[in-house]
Structure formats: structure tokens, C-alpha cells
Amino acid sequence: MAQIHNGQFLEKLLKKHSTHLANVLDNPDKYEVQILYTKIDRNNKNEPRFTTYGYHVNSSKYFYPASTVKLPAVLLALEKLNKLGIDKYTPMFTGADRPEQTAVSSDTTAEDKLPSVAHYAKKILLASDNDAFNRLYEFIGQKDFNDSLHAKGYKDVRISHRLESPVGTENNRYTNPIRFEKDGKLVYEQPGKYSDQKFISPDPIKRGKGYIKNGTLVNEPFDFTEKNFFALEDQHKLLKALFFPESVPAKERFNLTKEDYRFVYQYMSQFPVETEFPANYTDDYYDGYVKFLLFGGTKTRLPRHIRLFNKCGDAYGYLLDNAYIADFEKGIEFMLTAVIYCNEDQIFNDNKYDYDEIGLPFMRDLGKAVFDYELERHRTNRPDLGRFEVRYDK
């Protein structure tokens, strides 16, 4: 990644904005905050130039990445389909050749009632669906998931397990058999796979002072050693590769078609209420459902001229968001990635995390502080954001 400016600029900007931000930033170790902000300036050819500022960024410091691992899953699944010559809307059927695995032969939320990579990707980007991630994880395969990201230069990442799944560490190394069919004819068949490599931390990772197991408090630190990891810097770098592929080295890019980019941009920024299928996104899926930065997960209607192209996550007290943010009316664009730890009692699995009290207000104020700065700062050239203006389902 390009040089990160770790001076006082970002901290001063944020503390000036709100008391809430100042309180959190005055306790960086307690809240384990990491922030990356990239300012974008365009020349008269609309070519971008990037300046990145960091706050307490440390790729060796562990945090649980939660649902942010779903974005690379979408990109790698699309890339794999392109390599195989399979359209993303082709029905994908998941088998099961081990007791802990589950099969999928239909999807009632899809227009044609059939599962596909495209429909799984939509569910991930619109509502952060866990099962959809698990199906793409199985299609990619654990080893290929990790090896592909490492080969692209994303070194500080370990994807070792499905999400919200009882499958243990060893069984997560096994992935299901999969086949693609179109009009009743077999297009491609993939046998079940086993990763011959373990993707877990070489050093123990213990956090907190206790955790709930089977309804009982265990008074010892919770073990994250075998959990997923996706460093903030790699998340931010991947976001840049997705939105500005021409600006990163070729090896860091994903092999996506022009239509794939349009598809991902659409569903990263589309609100659930704007969606035809899945059609079950009712009041529970409000505009701010997965929009943490700038909007703080608000349940009020959000403006349509401001779009967060983002992937957020929350689990084990860690709250994250990773976004390219654009205001199409005012000609504003920037990238912002952040993580904060919100677990005052230091107990895991007790469902008593402080997202509403600490995490979401922090994300809201962080996004607003940077947005307000972007609104005021001088730009020599107004950016042409036409590439990111997409048509939504409704």
C-alpha cells in the first residue's frame, strides 16, 4: 500500500469534531481503534491521486474481522467463475459428503428459486447474509481462498472458518462438492476439497477476562487463535483495488468483467428497500441496516445522493466498516476504514456488547467528521463519478 501518513492530522480533525470521538481517541488501547482515511484528488483527466492518513494502524494487532471477510469472498467467487467461463447467474447446487455439511438445492428468495453465485453475492452485499458467505467459502475452498489473497499481496489475512456455523476448525478445512447446471445440463462439477494447510495464528491470541459457554461463565480469556483475521490495511488496500483497479499493481487486482464491477458497485451501495429479490427485505432491513460509517446504522430514511459502497461487520464486540463514500450532488469522494472494540465488561458471548452506546456513535461521528472536512476542502477539479453511478432495482 502507498505511504500512510501517521501524523496528528487525523486525530486533530476527529477530536475537533465531537466530544464522543475525543473520549474514544483518548483511550486508544481500551477501544483498540484503528482508522485509515484516503483523500482523493483528480487531475484534469479525472485521474485520481491518493493521500492516506492512518490512526494507530497496526497489521500485527489482532481484531476479529466479522463480516468484512465476505467482500473478498464475493470477489474471489466472481473471479473463479470468470476463470471457469461460467456466468454468475448459473444455478449452483451445493452437495454434502460429510456429516457436518449441509446441501442446497433451492433458494426461495431468488427470482427463479435457485441458488447462484450472483444471488449469494447480492445477499452478502445487501444484508450481510452469513449462509451466503458460507456457500461462497465452500465454492472457493479454504486453501484457494487464502492462497489467492496472499498471491495478490494481501498478506495479513487468514480465512479459516465459515460464519455462525457449528463446524469446528478441522471440519472447516473440508468444503462441499458443488455443481453448476443450466437447463438441466451439467456445466461444471467440483468435488469436495480438503485444505492441506492450516490457516490459524502461529501464536496464541487471548482476549478479555471471560466468556459464556453452554450458559455458564468461564473465567478465562477467550481464544481467537483459530479465528479469521483480516488486517485493516489489507481491507483498505482491497477496497482501493476494487474501486480504482488501474491505480494498483496488476497482481493486486481481481479478474472481474466490466459487468462484474457494475454488479458489485450496485449491490454494495443499494439499500435493501430498493431491492426486487430477495423480496423479504421489509422494515427489519432499514436503510442504515449495514451502513455504519457516517450514518451510524440509523433507522431513518437516508439520502439517495450519498452512497456508501461498503462492507461492515460486528461480532465479539468488534465493530467495523470499510467504505468508498460518494456524494454525487456535491462531488465528494473518499475511502474510510475503521475498527473499534466495544466490550466494556470484557466478557464474550454474553450478548452484552456496546455497539449502540459506543461503536455506532463512533462510526457515525467519524464518517461525519471526514465528510465535513471533504465538504470544505478545496478541489482543483470536481471528480467525474459517473463510473460509480448505477441503476438500482427500484
Side-chain angles (χ1 to χ4, degrees):
M1 190 169 176
Q3 179 185 1
I4 298 173
H5 300 272
N6 280 309
Q8 300 300 310
F9 167 78
L10 191 52
E11 184 171 2
K12 287 180 180 177
L13 171 67
L14 301 181
K15 286 187 174 182
K16 178 183 176 183
H17 181 84
S18 78
T19 303
H20 183 81
L21 284 174
N23 289 340
V24 170
L25 298 180
D26 282 340
N27 296 279
D29 294 334
K30 175 181 178 180
Y31 294 110
E32 300 183 25
V33 174
Q34 295 187 53
I35 304 168
L36 280 166
Y37 156 51
T38 294
K39 184 166 62 175
I40 304 168
D41 292 287
R42 305 271 186 163
N43 63 18
N44 56 14
K45 296 180 181 179
N46 203 47
E47 296 166 336
R49 179 173 60 84
F50 306 93
T51 307
T52 299
Y53 301 92
Y55 175 83
H56 282 235
V57 177
N58 183 348
S59 293
S60 64
K61 187 171 180 59
Y62 182 83
F63 60 83
Y64 185 69
S67 292
T68 59
V69 300
K70 296 172 184 174
L71 181 56
V74 169
L75 304 183
L76 289 175
L78 292 173
E79 184 175 74
K80 182 170 181 176
L81 286 181
N82 290 335
K83 184 178 180 179
L84 295 170
I86 301 173
D87 184 86
K88 59 180 168 285
Y89 296 96
T90 304
M92 174 180 124
F93 302 99
T94 302
D97 55 10
R98 294 178 58 82
E100 73 279 356
Q101 295 178 354
T102 56
V104 180
S105 59
S106 64
D107 188 333
T108 57
T109 69
E111 186 172 10
D112 60 1
K113 310 303 181 190
L114 294 173
S116 67
V117 167
H119 195 64
Y120 286 138
K122 285 170 64 173
K123 291 200 288 187
I124 285 171
L125 299 175
L126 287 163
S128 203
D129 189 283
N130 286 323
D131 179 71
F133 166 80
N134 294 344
R135 300 309 172 181
L136 296 190
Y137 170 93
E138 291 158 359
F139 170 51
I140 299 164
Q142 188 193 80
K143 190 173 191 305
D144 287 345
F145 201 137
N146 287 275
D147 287 350
S148 296
L149 290 176
H150 296 164
K152 292 179 186 296
Y154 305 100
K155 300 295 187 183
D156 294 304
V157 56
R158 295 186 302 273
I159 310 298
S160 58
H161 59 84
R162 298 165 175 86
L163 298 178
E164 271 198 4
S165 168
V167 177
T169 302
E170 176 61 20
N171 286 333
N172 268 305
R173 296 170 72 180
Y174 291 90
T175 46
N176 309 37
I178 290 167
R179 71 185 192 279
F180 289 82
E181 293 183 3
K182 188 172 184 179
D183 301 326
K185 295 182 179 179
L186 182 67
V187 175
Y188 172 73
E189 190 166 21
Q190 176 177 291
K193 291 186 174 183
Y194 177 72
S195 173
D196 60 4
Q197 184 177 347
K198 285 186 177 181
F199 295 96
I200 62 176
S201 172
D203 302 308
I205 302 172
K206 304 290 182 73
R207 292 288 187 273
K209 64 182 184 181
Y211 59 94
I212 303 296
K213 183 176 183 180
N214 299 325
T216 302
L217 174 63
V218 179
N219 289 301
E220 59 184 51
F222 188 69
D223 193 350
F224 284 92
T225 307
E226 298 179 351
K227 297 289 188 184
N228 291 337
F229 178 54
F230 189 13
L232 202 78
E233 192 171 347
D234 274 358
Q235 292 197 29
H236 201 70
K237 186 166 70 171
L238 184 144
L239 190 73
K240 183 180 178 183
L242 175 58
F243 284 89
F244 302 96
E246 304 87 357
S247 300
V248 304
K251 76 167 191 174
E252 292 180 15
R253 302 173 199 163
F254 293 83
N255 179 26
L256 305 181
T257 66
K258 185 177 181 180
E259 205 287 321
D260 288 336
Y261 280 111
R262 185 213 59 78
F263 174 91
V264 173
Y265 296 164
Q266 176 183 341
Y267 292 107
M268 281 184 80
S269 58
Q270 180 167 300
F271 297 120
V273 72
E274 296 174 313
T275 304
E276 294 284 358
F277 294 96
N280 62 335
Y281 292 149
T282 54
D283 292 344
D284 290 338
Y285 295 93
Y286 42 89
D287 285 0
Y289 181 68
V290 288
K291 305 297 178 188
F292 296 168
L293 286 165
L294 188 60
F295 299 125
T298 179
K299 293 185 178 181
T300 60
R301 190 180 191 275
L302 294 179
R304 271 30 187 176
H305 63 280
I306 301 174
R307 294 285 175 166
L308 266 66
F309 300 78
N310 74 310
K311 188 69 206 78
C312 63
D314 60 272
Y316 295 115
Y318 290 98
L319 191 77
L320 311 96
D321 207 351
N322 184 21
Y324 167 77
I325 300 175
D327 184 329
F328 292 97
E329 280 188 3
K330 297 183 172 63
I332 291 172
E333 62 172 341
F334 59 94
M335 293 188 295
L336 188 59
T337 305
V339 59
I340 181 172
Y341 178 57
C342 323
N343 189 14
E344 291 284 322
D345 66 8
Q346 294 294 305
I347 304 296
F348 293 95
N349 291 335
D350 62 354
N351 293 319
K352 294 179 182 177
Y353 302 122
D354 305 289
Y355 300 134
D356 292 338
E357 299 81 6
I358 297 172
L360 289 171
F362 172 81
M363 289 290 181
R364 178 198 64 213
D365 290 357
L366 167 61
K368 193 172 187 307
V370 176
F371 184 89
D372 288 349
Y373 167 74
E374 287 281 345
L375 192 61
E376 295 170 0
R377 79 178 182 89
H378 172 72
R379 285 177 174 77
T380 304
N381 299 288
R382 180 186 172 101
D384 178 354
L385 304 178
R387 176 179 179 178
F388 308 119
E389 290 189 275
V390 293
R391 179 174 295 182
Y392 299 108
D393 288 350
K394 59 181 180 179

